[in-house]
Amino acid sequence: MAKVKPMMVAPPLIFAALAAMFYVGMSRENPDELPTALAGKAAPAVVVTTLGDKTTFADADLRTGEVTLVNYWASWCAPCRVEHPNLEKLAAQGLTIYGVNYKDKPENALKFLNELGDPYAAIGADTEGRMALDWGVYGVPETYVIDGNGVIVVRHAGPVTQRVIDNTLMPAIEKARGN
């Protein structure tokens, strides 16, 4: 009987492992969506500092019985500029949006808001990125739908486009509202 050499078995095993990983990755509902371990769990603590003369928000603001969005953004973030008109439209429709300015210079953040408008009901700065770590933020922009009890319903990494509003945010908001 011929002896099996490890080098003869390794390539087929590596191929099988890669094929399995590819299959699992392709079978995800939305392959562009970054998963969050926090969906269905209480939002982590809100620990922000004041940004200029803007009103800040706290944990209790995420537990008022109303669905809210928490949006991480920065003035240096090009996709944040792209999503900004969509956030303003959502705010104009009555949706409460809390902003977290991420690792930014306060003067740049305030200039950004003065130039493009301020869709945020309240806003705070996370200059060191510590709160973002607790929330699992990969980068900006990122937006979280929070139900009225302070539970994360969904997280969207990337700019809020009309497609994201229609296909991700609004279904999550309706779910959070119990509709």
Side-chain angles (χ1 to χ4, degrees), residues 74-94:
S75 66
W76 46 262
C77 162
C80 296
R81 283 187 175 274
V82 171
E83 78 173 358
H84 205 77
N86 291 317
L87 295 176
E88 288 200 303
K89 184 169 47 171
L90 289 170
Q93 294 171 357

Side-chain angles (χ1 to χ4, degrees), residues 67 170-179:
V67 176
M170 289 315 290
I173 290 167
E174 293 301 317
K175 177 183 174 186
R177 288 179 176 157
N179 297 337

